[in-house]
PDB file of all heavy atoms in Angstrom:
ATOM      1  N   GLN A1249      47.696   0.916  45.609  1.00  0.00           N
ATOM      2  CA  GLN A1249      48.055   0.829  47.022  1.00  0.00           C
ATOM      3  C   GLN A1249      49.404   0.132  47.193  1.00  0.00           C
ATOM      4  O   GLN A1249      49.699  -0.847  46.517  1.00  0.00           O
ATOM      5  CB  GLN A1249      46.978   0.075  47.795  1.00  0.00           C
ATOM      6  CG  GLN A1249      47.276  -0.046  49.285  1.00  0.00           C
ATOM      7  CD  GLN A1249      46.018  -0.121  50.107  1.00  0.00           C
ATOM      8  OE1 GLN A1249      45.113   0.671  49.933  1.00  0.00           O
ATOM      9  NE2 GLN A1249      45.948  -1.074  51.015  1.00  0.00           N
ATOM     10  N   GLN A1250      50.211   0.625  48.114  1.00  0.00           N
ATOM     11  CA  GLN A1250      51.536   0.060  48.337  1.00  0.00           C
ATOM     12  C   GLN A1250      51.963   0.253  49.776  1.00  0.00           C
ATOM     13  O   GLN A1250      51.496   1.156  50.468  1.00  0.00           O
ATOM     14  CB  GLN A1250      52.554   0.734  47.406  1.00  0.00           C
ATOM     15  CG  GLN A1250      52.578   2.254  47.558  1.00  0.00           C
ATOM     16  CD  GLN A1250      53.516   2.929  46.595  1.00  0.00           C
ATOM     17  OE1 GLN A1250      54.710   2.700  46.627  1.00  0.00           O
ATOM     18  NE2 GLN A1250      52.978   3.755  45.719  1.00  0.00           N
ATOM     19  N   ALA A1251      52.851  -0.607  50.212  1.00  0.00           N
ATOM     20  CA  ALA A1251      53.450  -0.478  51.536  1.00  0.00           C
ATOM     21  C   ALA A1251      54.687   0.405  51.427  1.00  0.00           C
ATOM     22  O   ALA A1251      55.216   0.650  50.336  1.00  0.00           O
ATOM     23  CB  ALA A1251      53.839  -1.857  52.073  1.00  0.00           C
ATOM     24  N   PHE A1252      55.151   0.913  52.567  1.00  0.00           N
ATOM     25  CA  PHE A1252      56.399   1.679  52.568  1.00  0.00           C
ATOM     26  C   PHE A1252      57.559   0.763  52.196  1.00  0.00           C
ATOM     27  O   PHE A1252      57.600  -0.411  52.576  1.00  0.00           O
ATOM     28  CB  PHE A1252      56.650   2.299  53.954  1.00  0.00           C
ATOM     29  CG  PHE A1252      55.757   3.452  54.267  1.00  0.00           C
ATOM     30  CD1 PHE A1252      54.729   3.337  55.201  1.00  0.00           C
ATOM     31  CD2 PHE A1252      55.929   4.671  53.624  1.00  0.00           C
ATOM     32  CE1 PHE A1252      53.898   4.405  55.492  1.00  0.00           C
ATOM     33  CE2 PHE A1252      55.102   5.750  53.908  1.00  0.00           C
ATOM     34  CZ  PHE A1252      54.083   5.619  54.837  1.00  0.00           C
ATOM     35  N   THR A1253      58.494   1.312  51.442  1.00  0.00           N
ATOM     36  CA  THR A1253      59.642   0.528  50.995  1.00  0.00           C
ATOM     37  C   THR A1253      60.923   0.885  51.733  1.00  0.00           C
ATOM     38  O   THR A1253      61.961   0.279  51.492  1.00  0.00           O
ATOM     39  CB  THR A1253      59.872   0.725  49.479  1.00  0.00           C
ATOM     40  OG1 THR A1253      60.045   2.126  49.202  1.00  0.00           O
ATOM     41  CG2 THR A1253      58.685   0.199  48.686  1.00  0.00           C
ATOM     42  N   SER A1254      60.854   1.886  52.601  1.00  0.00           N
ATOM     43  CA  SER A1254      62.026   2.242  53.393  1.00  0.00           C
ATOM     44  C   SER A1254      61.588   2.754  54.757  1.00  0.00           C
ATOM     45  O   SER A1254      60.495   3.317  54.900  1.00  0.00           O
ATOM     46  CB  SER A1254      62.875   3.307  52.691  1.00  0.00           C
ATOM     47  OG  SER A1254      62.267   4.582  52.768  1.00  0.00           O
ATOM     48  N   LEU A1255      62.436   2.558  55.742  1.00  0.00           N
ATOM     49  CA  LEU A1255      62.137   3.012  57.092  1.00  0.00           C
ATOM     50  C   LEU A1255      62.060   4.533  57.148  1.00  0.00           C
ATOM     51  O   LEU A1255      61.199   5.105  57.823  1.00  0.00           O
ATOM     52  CB  LEU A1255      63.184   2.491  58.074  1.00  0.00           C
ATOM     53  CG  LEU A1255      62.957   2.833  59.550  1.00  0.00           C
ATOM     54  CD1 LEU A1255      61.619   2.282  60.027  1.00  0.00           C
ATOM     55  CD2 LEU A1255      64.094   2.278  60.412  1.00  0.00           C
ATOM     56  N   ASP A1256      62.966   5.218  56.431  1.00  0.00           N
ATOM     57  CA  ASP A1256      62.964   6.683  56.427  1.00  0.00           C
ATOM     58  C   ASP A1256      61.650   7.232  55.893  1.00  0.00           C
ATOM     59  O   ASP A1256      61.075   8.172  56.459  1.00  0.00           O
ATOM     60  CB  ASP A1256      64.129   7.212  55.579  1.00  0.00           C
ATOM     61  CG  ASP A1256      65.480   7.022  56.255  1.00  0.00           C
ATOM     62  OD1 ASP A1256      65.488   6.763  57.474  1.00  0.00           O
ATOM     63  OD2 ASP A1256      66.498   7.124  55.555  1.00  0.00           O
ATOM     64  N   ASP A1257      61.174   6.646  54.803  1.00  0.00           N
ATOM     65  CA  ASP A1257      59.922   7.107  54.212  1.00  0.00           C
ATOM     66  C   ASP A1257      58.759   6.864  55.171  1.00  0.00           C
ATOM     67  O   ASP A1257      57.861   7.703  55.315  1.00  0.00           O
ATOM     68  CB  ASP A1257      59.682   6.375  52.884  1.00  0.00           C
ATOM     69  CG  ASP A1257      58.730   7.120  51.963  1.00  0.00           C
ATOM     70  OD1 ASP A1257      58.600   8.346  52.111  1.00  0.00           O
ATOM     71  OD2 ASP A1257      58.134   6.469  51.086  1.00  0.00           O
ATOM     72  N   LYS A1258      58.768   5.724  55.839  1.00  0.00           N
ATOM     73  CA  LYS A1258      57.706   5.412  56.795  1.00  0.00           C
ATOM     74  C   LYS A1258      57.711   6.385  57.958  1.00  0.00           C
ATOM     75  O   LYS A1258      56.658   6.853  58.405  1.00  0.00           O
ATOM     76  CB  LYS A1258      57.873   3.984  57.302  1.00  0.00           C
ATOM     77  CG  LYS A1258      56.767   3.543  58.256  1.00  0.00           C
ATOM     78  CD  LYS A1258      56.944   2.086  58.663  1.00  0.00           C
ATOM     79  CE  LYS A1258      55.819   1.643  59.590  1.00  0.00           C
ATOM     80  NZ  LYS A1258      55.973   0.217  59.980  1.00  0.00           N
ATOM     81  N   GLU A1259      58.903   6.714  58.465  1.00  0.00           N
ATOM     82  CA  GLU A1259      59.006   7.636  59.596  1.00  0.00           C
ATOM     83  C   GLU A1259      58.507   9.030  59.229  1.00  0.00           C
ATOM     84  O   GLU A1259      58.001   9.761  60.077  1.00  0.00           O
ATOM     85  CB  GLU A1259      60.449   7.693  60.092  1.00  0.00           C
ATOM     86  CG  GLU A1259      60.899   6.407  60.796  1.00  0.00           C
ATOM     87  CD  GLU A1259      62.347   6.455  61.221  1.00  0.00           C
ATOM     88  OE1 GLU A1259      63.086   7.350  60.720  1.00  0.00           O
ATOM     89  OE2 GLU A1259      62.756   5.603  62.031  1.00  0.00           O
ATOM     90  N   ARG A1260      58.662   9.426  57.968  1.00  0.00           N
ATOM     91  CA  ARG A1260      58.172  10.732  57.496  1.00  0.00           C
ATOM     92  C   ARG A1260      56.703  10.692  57.106  1.00  0.00           C
ATOM     93  O   ARG A1260      56.133  11.723  56.747  1.00  0.00           O
ATOM     94  CB  ARG A1260      58.981  11.203  56.279  1.00  0.00           C
ATOM     95  CG  ARG A1260      60.430  11.562  56.525  1.00  0.00           C
ATOM     96  CD  ARG A1260      60.976  12.352  55.331  1.00  0.00           C
ATOM     97  NE  ARG A1260      60.726  11.647  54.080  1.00  0.00           N
ATOM     98  CZ  ARG A1260      61.591  10.830  53.486  1.00  0.00           C
ATOM     99  NH1 ARG A1260      62.767  10.597  54.039  1.00  0.00           N
ATOM    100  NH2 ARG A1260      61.293  10.235  52.343  1.00  0.00           N
TER     101      ARG A1260
END
Side-chain angles (χ1 to χ4, degrees):
Q1249 181 151 312
Q1250 56 183 298
F1252 287 108
T1253 57
S1254 75
L1255 183 59
D1256 288 344
D1257 202 23
K1258 183 177 181 179
E1259 289 177 345
R1260 292 195 308 266

